[in-house]
Amino acid sequence: MTIYEYGTENEKKVLFIATAGLEPYWAFQKQADALGTNYHVYAVAADGHDGQPGDFISIEKTVSEMSAELKRHGVTRLYAAYGLSMGGAIVVRFLATGEIPVDRAIIDGGILPYTYPKWVCRLIHMGDFIAMRSVTRSRKLLELVAPPEKFTAVGSDPKEEYDDLMEFYKTYSNKTVSNVFWPANNYKLPHPAPKLDTKIEYWYGEHEKKARKNDMAYIKSYFAGVTFR
């Protein structure tokens, strides 16, 4: 795991989970840098991503090591925490452990644990692994499921960005790909949830409300007072 810092001169501390599950850190670097204008940002890139040593193992391990590293940086309270997709799962687990208080948190399309029978979870995991490995090895398939005209950032060159993505995908081990889809969908949370003073918002895109339905129901029942945007 690597924690990058931005805006170290600023007082308010923000945790920014730059790991959306098999996405490169550079996809979020501009946002982390922009946040650094007003906040002291701790941007986290998980193990097994971006050519870092080791494999991604689990949400639980990531949160434990991240919490310890933040404490080594002298962090005793956070003004805010933000996580996207798998990064949202990391923030949910981080809030549930209660090791470092957080004033406000944004779970952006975040993944909550599956509630299906274990055999169903195994079948989903197998399908996810095969699909993702196929995408990481085929430029045509990548562009089919994620059309460049829709997913390329404004001002970026689609060809160059997708060339970079295909090179980036070569850094992933099978273990990391497998673990992104099993622990990220089946991580553990303490029950009942701890009582928090954190203001929590769950964000979802205008076209993903149906896909996030179960996640939204779970987080609404788990944390008190979650608002949706």
Side-chain angles (χ1 to χ4, degrees):
M1 173 191 299
T2 300
I3 295 182
Y4 302 94
E5 292 187 68
Y6 302 84
T8 55
E9 72 281 2
N10 296 316
E11 181 181 353
K12 292 180 178 178
K13 296 176 172 60
V14 171
L15 176 66
F16 184 87
I17 309 296
T19 297
L22 304 179
E23 291 197 58
Y25 177 76
W26 50 258
F28 307 96
Q29 192 167 0
K30 290 180 180 179
Q31 289 87 339
D33 192 27
L35 280 172
T37 302
N38 299 306
Y39 305 102
H40 183 169
V41 180
Y42 298 89
V44 179
D47 290 340
H49 288 70
D50 295 293
Q52 295 185 70
D55 300 300
F56 178 81
I57 301 301
S58 68
I59 298 293
E60 292 88 340
K61 180 176 183 290
T62 300
V63 169
S64 176
E65 293 179 354
M66 181 182 75
S67 299
E69 189 64 22
L70 287 171
K71 289 177 181 178
R72 279 194 287 271
H73 281 73
V75 177
T76 57
R77 190 176 192 90
L78 287 163
Y79 173 74
Y82 169 90
L84 170 69
S85 189
M86 189 179 83
I90 293 171
V91 171
V92 169
R93 170 74 185 182
F94 179 70
L95 293 174
T97 63
E99 290 196 38
I100 299 175
V102 182
D103 293 334
R104 48 187 55 75
I106 296 170
I107 316 300
D108 193 347
I111 299 167
L112 276 293
Y114 283 157
T115 56
Y116 308 123
K118 196 168 185 178
W119 68 269
V120 175
C121 295
R122 292 290 183 190
L123 288 176
I124 294 172
H125 170 251
M126 186 183 303
D128 286 341
F129 176 80
I130 293 171
M132 190 62 202
R133 256 314 179 204
S134 299
V135 167
T136 61
R137 291 171 176 167
S138 170
R139 173 67 171 266
K140 289 184 178 180
L141 189 55
L142 173 62
E143 293 187 1
L144 180 65
V145 299
E149 63 274 14
K150 182 178 179 180
F151 287 93
T152 303
V154 175
S156 298
D157 182 316
K159 182 180 184 304
E160 181 180 338
E161 189 158 302
Y162 275 58
D163 285 345
D164 290 344
L165 275 173
M166 293 309 296
E167 286 301 312
F168 163 76
Y169 287 145
K170 293 177 183 178
T171 68
Y172 282 133
S173 68
N174 284 335
K175 186 174 183 179
T176 288
V177 175
S178 178
N179 284 348
V180 161
F181 284 108
W182 179 257
N185 290 322
N186 299 280
Y187 61 98
K188 304 297 183 185
L189 290 173
H191 287 272
K195 293 183 179 180
L196 302 174
D197 294 327
T198 309
K199 179 182 178 182
I200 303 173
E201 288 191 1
Y202 187 100
W203 290 3
Y204 58 92
E206 61 183 355
H207 299 299
E208 69 170 345
K209 186 174 183 179
K210 184 177 180 180
R212 299 271 71 86
K213 180 180 177 181
N214 290 341
D215 299 304
M216 292 163 70
Y218 193 121
I219 198 169
K220 183 178 181 179
S221 67
Y222 189 69
F223 288 130
V226 176
T227 57
F228 297 88
R229 177 178 296 182

